[in-house]
């Protein structure tokens, strides 16, 4: 069957065009292929519900025998069309049987029907590309993914976090149709947090000459001496051609303004067949512009591989010039200047969108953290998304990049090597981490040995950065901490850090995790029935824990500690300590899952930022508690704070550095004002007031203009306000959302750890094959009518059963093919039979009645009403025998799956979300067209709100 491939044609155009002016003469091309994928859920262990995958004879014994969706000619037009990145887990409902550590989504071993996903996409590779090396690059797939191209098995990647590359050059139909199929199995967990499911990062298609810079094949690092920098470049050149080749290298270095500031040429080298060679070069840069937190300047190195005067490859490497040092007594230094690491740990999910974050969402989250004073993040507990690191490079945020699992087994070593080779040119990365809380070996000789061996492996690939390992215990004669280059401690109360500093006086120290406190945004009294915990800063347990204030003061008072990474920046799905179900998210964050700051976040902002600020808690809506004492606390970075209730001063107090102030205030409706003073001058104030009931919805957007590229996002805060425009801190109304124009809603959340409302409404399709296929040949078309009521078996045969050629029955002029299907459940939203276009003039009957299918995606569609069907129903197809006979037609039918599919659809629920303590969030994404997009928000008894976002 020949089908048009619009997205394949677009891709062919992309590969035929140049990817930007910098690559105008480059044969290397790299195109993002996130658009136009087909997706369907499969099944973890039932092949019948996994589209017959792995059941074909010779399936895994012969090349090109991929079956089910892995086959190139599989009929996927009934599947959902979507763009990447995609996380199907976030679209699933919550379920008490789900893993609470993973957010109680209906996925995992208890849900085999939800735990496997299939992705398919067509590629049209031009004939002119033959002889090039063409590859697919996957930035991240969770997890256990298998890649097939044109029915050929090419790659299996167990990790849900490691980027990987698949060379597909030898399996392509140049100038013809190609199909990529990816089976993803998220049954097994890797971590103990929400991990999502699917191709949740970008996919790229690359093309290069056989002689080219290898994948992740450049390593650029600089040393600074006074007003000059020396830039060392290591380049790995790969030869996938059929003969040895000679080449020269040219390097061209551009400063942040795009000016060429240095060049270097490497004399001719030779590389053998199916081999690589490493080539070193040095460039000198006068007056370098250093990458720093305040001025994150980025240079670009262009490396050209030449044969004679012909450029056969051109490769760009962004990097930064900077120095770093972990001093064992004075902490961390960037460019010779002391910097205390104000860090947070983060997992990679966000409210409403799971782990499939658009690129702009990474930047939006980092800006939220920077507003709190954060200057460093730790990618807990896996390698960071490439686009997150790009954003850290641009914004000036330091990174601990962390390997997923400790060990030197071949797979683990390969994953670690991929992380280092991929990420080592990012100036934002200042520390590698090779493990986290490895309890089984943390205080053993094996722990010491593995730590040292892993660090040695890393340093062979990158000698410019130190390596750490986050330990939850230490102090013994052996263990992971003993083997660490930079000592990484999780939670000060679980270690004697001062003693370890004395024991290892030559080593730098960083607190890789700290805090672990529980707090629900806007809640000031524990309510276990709603899984809410008061947001007052306090220890989560006994002496082995610390409050946020205790933890920061401890770190701030010890200059030898490079800094601290609080657990966590954002709340995240899963790890629902201390409750379990019905809680679905953690409560450790300085911000909730939407990025709305909690009170502990304001404490850190006061400690970490210089602009005068005051924050007072709690809110001031306490009906029925008039005259009762309220615990009022103030965080500030001023010298003194005065508290006033309804204009009457409750006292002016001096603020201890890194401390807080506290009053017991009898409640009276009105306003509570905190005023901050420096050197006797009023420099900051904040007011919390008793509000009225909610009367209107208010929408506030982080960016009023977004790029019309189909990926950019605007983050919208949804608030319920009273008649005076004040956010009602106890409001919980449900708000409905509609969008028009060139934007779409992609997610919503509210930060409530107990909310089971939909994060991302989506249709769910389920598929069933027709069964009990029978065929009978007839001489005339009108003879088919007499067979409609024929329920017997005489004369009917299985059309898909193999017979030797000499026993094949003779074809008739016409064919009657019959199959059965079960009545769809009455609870499904929609049901339809999809009939393939396998024969011209096809006539279709359901239970003996002629039906006329409507057309959708080139298929015939018969909409079904379960109430009008029997428990078992008959589908009959009547068609003329093609000129070439019926044998090939039957052989290509894949047991009837290519002919008929029953699809049931559970419609998406409406885009609705309750505000939680007055706030919620929705995320808008551009669709790719320029114009004005309008978001409308409505709620019962509330004045509606509209918001316009320009896409350009």
């Amino acid at each position: 069957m020949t089908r048009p491939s619009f997205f394949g044609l677009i891709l062919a155009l992309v590969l035929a065009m140049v990817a930007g002016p910098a690559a105008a003469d480059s044969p290397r091309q790299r195109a993002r292929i996130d658009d136009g994928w087909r997706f369907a859920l499969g099944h973890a262990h039932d092949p019948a519900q996994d589209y017959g995958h792995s059941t074909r004879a010779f399936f895994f014994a012969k090349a090109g025998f991929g079956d089910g969706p892995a086959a190139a000619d599989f009929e996927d037009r009934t599947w959902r069309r979507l763009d990447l990145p995609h996380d199907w887990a976030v679209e699933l409902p919550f379920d008490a049987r789900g893993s609470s550590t993973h957010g109680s989504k209906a996925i995992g071993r208890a849900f085999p029907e939800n735990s496997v996903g299939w992705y398919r996409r067509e590629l049209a590779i031009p004939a002119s590309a033959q002889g090039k090396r063409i590859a697919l690059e996957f930035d991240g797939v969770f997890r256990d993914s298998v890649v097939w191209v044109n029915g050929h098995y090419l790659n299996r990647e167990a990790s849900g976090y490691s980027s990987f590359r698949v060379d597909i050059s030898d399996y392509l139909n140049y100038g013809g149709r190609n199909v990529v199929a990816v089976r993803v199995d998220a049954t097994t967990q890797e971590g103990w947090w929400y991990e999502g499911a699917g191709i949740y990062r970008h996919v790229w298609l690359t093309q290069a000459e056989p002689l080219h810079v290898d994948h992740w094949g450049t390593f650029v690092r600089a040393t600074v001496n006074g007003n000059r920098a020396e830039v060392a470049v290591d380049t790995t050149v790969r030869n996938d051609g059929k003969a040895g080749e000679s080449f020269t290298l040219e390097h061209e270095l551009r400063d942040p303004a795009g000016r060429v500031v240095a060049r270097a040429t490497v004399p001719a080298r030779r590389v053998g067949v199916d081999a690589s060679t490493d080539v070193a070069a040095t460039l000198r840069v006068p007056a370098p512009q250093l990458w720093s937190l305040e001025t994150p300047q980025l240079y670009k190195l262009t490396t050209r591989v030449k044969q004679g005067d012909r450029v056969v490859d051109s490769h760009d490497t962004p990097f930064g010039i900077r120095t770093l040092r972990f001093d064992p007594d004075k902490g961390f230094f960037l460019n010779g200047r002391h910097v205390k690491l104000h860090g947070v740990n983060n997992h990679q999910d966000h409210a409403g969108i799971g782990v499939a974050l658009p690129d702009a969402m990474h930047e939006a989250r980092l800006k939220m953290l920077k507003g709190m004073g954060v200057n460093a993040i730790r990618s807990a507990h896996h390698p960071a998304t490439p686009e997150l690191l790009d954003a850290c490079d641009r914004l000036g945020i330091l990174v601990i990049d962390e390997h997923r699992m400790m060990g030197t087994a071949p797979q683990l070593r390969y994953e670690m090597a991929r992380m280092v080779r991929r990420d080592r040119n990012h100036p934002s990365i200042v520390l590698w981490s090779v493990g986290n809380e490895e309890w089984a070996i943390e205080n053993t000789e094996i722990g010491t040995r593995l730590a040292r061996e892993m660090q040695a492996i890393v340093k062979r690939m990158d000698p410019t950065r130190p390596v750490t390992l986050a330990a939850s215990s230490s102090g013994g004669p052996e263990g992971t901490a003993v083997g660490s280059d930079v000592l990484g401690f999780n939670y000060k109360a679980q270690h004697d850090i001062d003693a370890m500093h004395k024991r290892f006086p030559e080593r730098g120290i960083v607190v890789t995790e700290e805090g672990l406190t529980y707090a629900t945004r806007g809640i000031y009294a524990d309510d276990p029935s709603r899984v809410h915990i008061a947001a007052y800063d306090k220890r989560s347990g006994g002496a082995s824990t610390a409050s946020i204030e205790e933890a920061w003061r401890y770190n701030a008072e010890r200059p030898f500690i490079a800094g601290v990474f609080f657990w966590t920046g954002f709340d995240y799905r899963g790890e629902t300590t201390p409750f379990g179900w019905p809680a679905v998210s953690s409560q450790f964050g300085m911000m909730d899952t939407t990025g709305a700051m909690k009170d502990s976040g304001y404490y850190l902002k006061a400690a970490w930022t210089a602009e005068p600020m005051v924050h007072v808690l709690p809110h001031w809506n306490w009906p029925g508690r008039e005259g009762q004492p309220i615990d009022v606390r103030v965080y500030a970075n001023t010298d003194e704070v005065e508290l006033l209730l309804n204009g009457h001063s409750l006292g002016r107090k001096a603020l201890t550095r890194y401390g807080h102030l506290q009053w017991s205030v009898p409640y009276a409706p009105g306003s509570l004002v905190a005023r901050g003073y420096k050197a006797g001058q009023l420099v900051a104030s904040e007011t919390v007031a008793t509000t009225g009931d909610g009367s209107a919805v208010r929408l506030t957007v982080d960016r009023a203009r977004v790029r019309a590229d189909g990926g950019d996002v605007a983050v919208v805060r949804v608030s319920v306000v009273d008649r005076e425009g004040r956010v009602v801190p106890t409001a919980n109304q449900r708000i409905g959302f509609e969008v028009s124009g060139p934007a779409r809603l992609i997610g919503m959340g509210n930060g409530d750890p107990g909310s089971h409302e939909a994060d991302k409404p989506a249709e769910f399709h389920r598929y069933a094959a027709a069964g009990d296929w029978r065929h009978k040949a007839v001489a005339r078309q009108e003879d088919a009518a007499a067979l409609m009521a024929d329920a017997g078996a005489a004369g009917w045969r299985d059309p898909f059963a193999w017979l030797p050629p000499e026993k094949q029955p003779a074809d008739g002029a016409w064919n009657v093919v019959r199959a059965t299907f079960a009545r769809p459940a009455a609870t499904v939203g929609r049901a339809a039979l999809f009939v393939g276009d396998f024969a011209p003039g096809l006539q279709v009957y359901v239970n003996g009645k002629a039906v006329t299918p409507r057309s959708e995606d080139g298929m015939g569609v018969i909409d079904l009403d379960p109430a009008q069907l029997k428990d078992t129903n008959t589908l009959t197809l009547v068609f003329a025998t093609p000129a070439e006979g019926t044998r090939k037609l039957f052989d290509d039918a894949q047991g009837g799956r290519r002919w008929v599919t029953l699809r049931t659809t559970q419609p998406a629920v409406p885009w609705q979300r309750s505000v939680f303590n007055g706030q919620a969030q929705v995320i808008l994404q551009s669709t790719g067209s320029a114009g004005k997009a309008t978001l409308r928000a409505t709620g019962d008894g509330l004045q509606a709100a509209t918001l316009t976002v320009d896409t350009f």
Side-chain angles (χ1 to χ4, degrees), residues 519 521 571 587-592 596-602:
R521 176 184 56 79
D571 283 344
Q587 304 195 50
F588 303 121
M590 303 302 101
M591 300 179 181
D592 71 13
M597 202 181 300
K598 301 183 193 177
D599 299 299
S600 292
Y602 282 104

Side-chain angles (χ1 to χ4, degrees), residues 864-886:
L864 301 175
D865 179 357
Q868 302 299 315
L869 297 175
K870 307 172 185 178
D871 289 342
T872 301
N873 302 273
T874 301
L875 173 73
T876 305
L877 307 174
V878 179
F879 55 92
T881 297
E884 65 272 18
T886 60

Side-chain angles (χ1 to χ4, degrees), residues 28 212-222 230-238 247 249-251 253 264 266 269 276-283 301-305 315-319 420-422 424-425 458-465:
R28 175 186 289 264
H212 57 272
V213 175
D214 202 6
H215 187 46
W216 303 326
T218 58
F219 179 32
V220 186
R221 65 262 189 217
E230 287 198 352
V231 177
V233 183
D234 289 338
T235 306
T236 302
V237 177
R238 173 78 187 166
F247 66 92
L249 280 186
E250 289 182 354
H251 297 295
L253 185 58
V266 180
R269 299 290 179 92
S276 301
T277 188
D278 296 328
V279 183
T282 302
L283 298 90
L301 178 76
T302 298
T303 301
R304 297 184 180 94
V305 182
H315 182 273
D316 290 338
T317 306
F319 72 101
V420 176
R421 286 174 54 83
R422 187 196 72 177
R424 59 188 174 177
N425 292 312
V458 170
K459 285 182 176 292
R460 285 195 290 272
M461 292 181 284
D462 176 16
T464 70
R465 295 176 178 89

Side-chain angles (χ1 to χ4, degrees), residues 354-377:
V355 297
L357 271 65
D359 295 353
M361 200 65 215
H362 291 295
E363 187 156 324
R365 283 163 56 91
L366 289 173
K367 288 180 177 177
M368 294 175 194
L369 294 171
K370 283 199 75 169
M372 194 178 81
V374 169
N375 63 19
I377 63 170

Side-chain angles (χ1 to χ4, degrees), residues 506-553:
E506 75 288 358
R507 301 189 194 181
I509 289 177
V510 63
V511 176
T512 39
E513 287 181 28
E514 191 53 276
L516 202 72
T517 57
Y518 310 131
T520 309
R521 176 184 56 79
I523 294 294
Y524 299 98
D526 292 348
D527 187 351
S529 66
R530 298 182 64 198
V531 298
H532 293 165
I533 302 175
Y536 294 108
D537 182 27
K538 59 185 178 300
R539 295 179 178 182
S540 59
S544 63
T545 64
S547 69
I548 301 300
E549 183 175 324
E550 289 172 332
W552 173 244
R553 182 183 291 113

Side-chain angles (χ1 to χ4, degrees), residues 499-830:
M500 291 293 282
H501 176 50
K502 293 177 182 178
R503 179 179 171 187
F504 300 103
E506 75 288 358
R507 301 189 194 181
I509 289 177
V510 63
V511 176
T512 39
E513 287 181 28
E514 191 53 276
L516 202 72
T517 57
Y518 310 131
T520 309
R521 176 184 56 79
I523 294 294
Y524 299 98
D526 292 348
D527 187 351
S529 66
R530 298 182 64 198
V531 298
H532 293 165
I533 302 175
Y536 294 108
D537 182 27
K538 59 185 178 300
R539 295 179 178 182
S540 59
S544 63
T545 64
S547 69
I548 301 300
E549 183 175 324
E550 289 172 332
W552 173 244
R553 182 183 291 113
Y554 179 91
N555 280 268
E557 291 172 348
R558 287 164 172 77
F560 63 84
I561 297 179
V564 61
F565 290 77
F566 280 95
W567 191 265
T568 50
F570 294 86
D571 283 344
Y572 51 94
R573 291 289 189 207
E575 203 164 8
T576 56
T577 310
F579 293 111
W581 180 264
V584 294
S585 69
S586 76
Q587 304 195 50
F588 303 121
M590 303 302 101
M591 300 179 181
D592 71 13
T593 55
T594 72
M597 202 181 300
K598 301 183 193 177
D599 299 299
S600 292
Y602 282 104
Y603 166 79
L604 290 177
K605 182 177 182 178
W608 288 352
T609 63
E611 183 177 352
M613 61 147 289
V614 174
H615 174 69
V616 59
L617 65 142
H619 61 71
W620 210 239
N621 281 27
W622 301 101
R625 293 192 59 182
E626 287 77 6
Q628 297 180 26
I630 303 293
D631 182 359
V632 175
R633 303 185 188 187
V634 174
Y635 299 133
N637 55 9
T638 58
D639 301 333
E640 298 175 301
V641 174
E642 182 181 21
L643 190 68
L644 299 94
L645 175 62
N646 295 329
H648 299 288
S649 178
L650 302 180
R652 182 163 162 174
K653 298 182 180 181
L655 182 62
T656 303
R657 192 181 187 194
Y658 305 134
H660 72 277
L661 296 174
Q662 197 164 347
W663 284 263
S664 180
V665 180
Y667 176 66
S671 61
L672 193 65
V673 180
R675 295 175 177 171
Y677 296 86
K678 273 196 171 184
Q681 299 296 311
L682 177 65
V683 292
S685 68
E686 183 176 81
T687 300
V688 292
T690 308
T691 69
D693 293 334
S695 65
V697 183
R698 182 165 63 198
L699 302 175
T700 308
V701 67
D702 67 333
R703 301 162 62 208
R705 301 184 77 234
V706 299
R707 294 180 302 277
D709 59 4
D712 205 1
V713 300
V715 181
V716 181
R717 184 173 63 199
V718 183
S719 306
V720 170
V721 298
D722 67 6
R723 294 186 183 279
E724 296 184 38
R726 301 172 298 190
V727 175
V728 180
T730 55
N732 61 0
Q733 291 94 330
R734 176 168 291 185
I735 310 298
F737 304 98
E738 295 178 352
V739 65
S740 59
R744 56 181 167 247
L745 289 161
I746 63 168
M748 54 189 175
N750 62 12
D752 182 357
S755 174
H756 296 174
E757 295 173 291
D759 290 310
K760 188 182 181 77
E763 285 189 337
F764 275 95
H765 300 312
R766 300 288 183 182
Y767 302 89
D772 194 25
W773 287 92
R774 293 292 181 265
H775 168 257
K776 183 177 282 192
V778 295
R780 300 175 303 166
Q781 181 178 5
E782 51 267 32
D783 293 340
L787 298 177
M788 293 299 163
D790 183 1
W796 296 86
R797 71 179 188 90
D798 182 351
F800 311 126
W802 183 85
L803 291 173
E806 66 273 12
K807 293 187 177 182
Q808 293 285 349
D811 284 334
W814 287 82
N815 302 273
V816 181
V817 177
R818 187 174 68 195
T820 61
F821 65 93
R823 184 209 314 259
T827 54
V828 302
R830 300 192 305 273

